[in-house]
Amino acid sequence: MFKFDFGIEDDNTEATQPETILQSEPFVELSLSQLIESLPPLISYSPLPIRLSSGRKNITLARRDLFDARFQLISEGRGDEPEIPGSTSALGFLDAPSDLVPGVYEGGLKTWECSLDLVDYLDGLEDSNAAYVSGKRILEVGCGTAIPSVYLLYRIFCGDSNAATHVHLQDYNASVLELITFPNIILAWYMSPSSAEYRASIADTEGPPTDPTVSGELPITPSLKSAFTASVAKHGISLAFSSGSWESLKTHLESRGGALYDIVLTSETIYRIEALPILIELLHRACADSDSLCLVAAKVLYFGVGGGFSEFLAALESKAMADRGCSGTAESVWERKVGVGRKIMRVSWV
Ligand SMILES: C[S@@+](CC[C@H](N)C(=O)[O-])C[C@H]1O[C@@H](n2cnc3c(N)ncnc32)[C@H](O)[C@@H]1O
């Protein structure tokens, strides 16, 4: 049985799934309209406070409740559907969001703490709302609840930019993108000034206050869906979602010529040593050029599994990576030494 816990929540239910071999899940694109249609009539959320060291006011994002995603699956009669043939259903993962089942479920339902570090670091780069992200092409690899991208989108929704910004969110599991990642983006929009026109068009009782510091329930109506879609277009945002393994995403990017993104983010994805070469190759293929901002946030060491920054750096600088044309170096740009050390490293390609 495979299990470890390195997150920020208390939901450490014992895993019951047997270990499976990491398999190559195909690249599957989920369209925005598909994700909008899959939203339930109501989503409940709770505050996710994020401490910022920039001196700016700490930020709180609204995050969809896992129990609500669980309720959705049960009420839609999808409770027993395995996402990957022969594996556990998404409901099984929702009951044990901390547990990783290699090749089946990779922990994306839960928010891992280094994703909050990434928000802190990204916040420090900003001089005004979204100034450095709007107009960029952004990829978050192994996004899970996608808090860094949700934060960047929230900043764009708070500003008045309409420069074409592309955000691609990737997770191993399609159910994570549908049940948590996308609802979190809807919540970020609703909590921002961009939803003002929509809120003015509905009765007070139809929508919760735009205060992410208190838990609430957001009714998902046809008019909310239309207002969200219009707002996304007005801000020049295009959203892409894909599930599948890193191997399949890399192949997909190569088929499109690679070098597609100005900002490539990933958090808590370097825990498994044998997955490091493919992750590094993917990051390399994704970066548009040497100016791309490629950030890896992680624990210094993942006890019990062996991954961490020294293994990542060894792989990044290895001859094997050089032979594949993906050699790189990394410098630490953010660090927390208290408890289990955490870092953010900026990767440069050589
Ligand atoms: C521990 S979770 C971290 C989630 C999120 N980045 C965070 O920090 O909260 C690891 C993430 O990496 C993705 N992942 C891990 N191994 C993968 C693989 N071989 N192919 C594709 N995705 C993978 C999973 O989908 C999962 O969302």
Side-chain angles (χ1 to χ4, degrees):
M1 187 170 73
F2 178 95
K3 179 179 189 304
F4 65 89
D5 176 61
F6 47 77
I8 55 172
E9 293 171 346
D10 295 322
D11 40 18
N12 302 330
T13 321
E14 199 58 31
T16 51
Q17 298 85 4
E19 183 168 344
T20 41
I21 295 153
L22 196 71
Q23 40 183 283
S24 186
E25 274 302 296
F27 171 88
V28 177
E29 204 153 3
L30 287 84
S31 71
L32 183 59
S33 53
Q34 191 184 339
L35 288 168
I36 288 177
E37 282 323 302
S38 67
L39 288 167
L42 189 76
I43 49 183
S44 87
Y45 56 87
S46 296
L48 176 68
I50 305 171
R51 266 198 21 225
L52 300 177
S53 45
S54 64
R56 287 217 290 185
K57 220 172 126 230
N58 290 345
I59 186 168
T60 299
L61 295 174
R63 183 182 46 171
R64 189 185 189 189
D65 294 317
L66 282 181
F67 69 77
D68 188 49
R70 190 177 194 283
F71 175 75
Q72 179 185 345
L73 284 181
I74 293 170
S75 59
E76 290 173 359
R78 294 196 286 150
D80 300 324
E81 258 175 40
E83 177 164 308
I84 292 169
S87 80
T88 312
S89 64
L91 194 57
F93 310 143
L94 280 161
D95 287 338
S98 307
D99 299 332
L100 285 82
V101 187
V104 177
Y105 164 67
E106 293 283 342
L109 288 168
K110 179 180 156 169
T111 298
W112 303 84
E113 62 186 342
C114 296
S115 66
L116 309 188
D117 299 342
L118 210 37
V119 172
D120 183 27
Y121 179 72
L122 291 168
D123 168 77
L125 295 179
E126 278 191 275
D127 40 17
S128 65
N129 275 340
Y132 76 97
V133 278
S134 47
K136 297 286 195 306
R137 295 160 298 168
I138 303 161
L139 169 68
E140 185 170 348
V141 173
C143 66
T145 60
I147 298 305
S149 298
V150 168
Y151 164 78
L152 293 178
L153 285 165
Y154 175 72
R155 289 293 188 208
I156 295 175
F157 287 134
C158 288
D160 52 14
S161 166
N162 61 1
T165 306
H166 177 67
V167 182
H168 178 172
L169 296 159
Q170 177 275 337
D171 197 85
Y172 194 79
N173 301 96
S175 56
V176 170
L177 296 166
E178 180 202 324
L179 294 169
I180 304 290
T181 316
F182 184 60
N184 284 347
I185 294 174
I186 292 278
L187 289 165
W189 167 77
Y190 183 80
M191 296 297 166
S192 79
S194 280
S195 70
E197 208 175 301
Y198 165 71
R199 284 182 282 111
S201 73
I202 56 169
D204 280 352
T205 47
E206 274 183 69
T210 52
D211 180 359
T213 65
V214 289
S215 301
E217 290 183 334
L218 177 65
I220 307 292
T221 59
S223 59
L224 178 139
K225 291 177 182 180
S226 308
F228 170 78
T229 310
S231 213
V232 162
K234 188 174 156 200
H235 282 286
I237 300 168
S238 65
L239 295 169
F241 300 85
S242 68
S243 63
S245 64
W246 292 330
E247 178 75 50
S248 67
L249 175 59
K250 181 189 78 92
T251 307
H252 171 79
L253 296 185
E254 282 169 350
S255 73
R256 302 188 56 206
L260 297 167
Y261 302 96
D262 307 301
I263 301 177
V264 178
L265 307 171
T266 194
S267 151
E268 307 253 18
T269 48
I270 62 168
Y271 48 86
R272 189 176 292 121
I273 297 171
E274 64 273 23
L276 291 175
I278 183 59
L279 175 63
I280 292 168
E281 249 192 283
L282 169 60
L283 298 177
H284 178 265
R285 295 284 182 265
C287 286
D289 52 41
S290 53
D291 288 337
S292 292
L293 179 65
C294 179
L295 298 172
V296 178
K299 309 260 186 331
V300 171
L301 176 66
Y302 289 92
F303 294 105
V305 262
F309 269 117
S310 50
E311 296 291 341
F312 176 76
L313 287 174
L316 187 65
E317 292 167 4
S318 68
K319 181 168 178 313
M321 281 293 115
D323 290 346
R324 293 192 210 180
C326 305
S327 201
T329 57
E331 58 160 336
S332 173
V333 292
W334 185 104
E335 187 162 6
R336 181 106 335 134
K337 290 186 173 151
V338 183
V340 180
R342 312 195 306 266
K343 273 189 190 182
I344 298 174
M345 298 207 98
R346 179 172 182 170
V347 177
S348 308
W349 306 104
V350 291

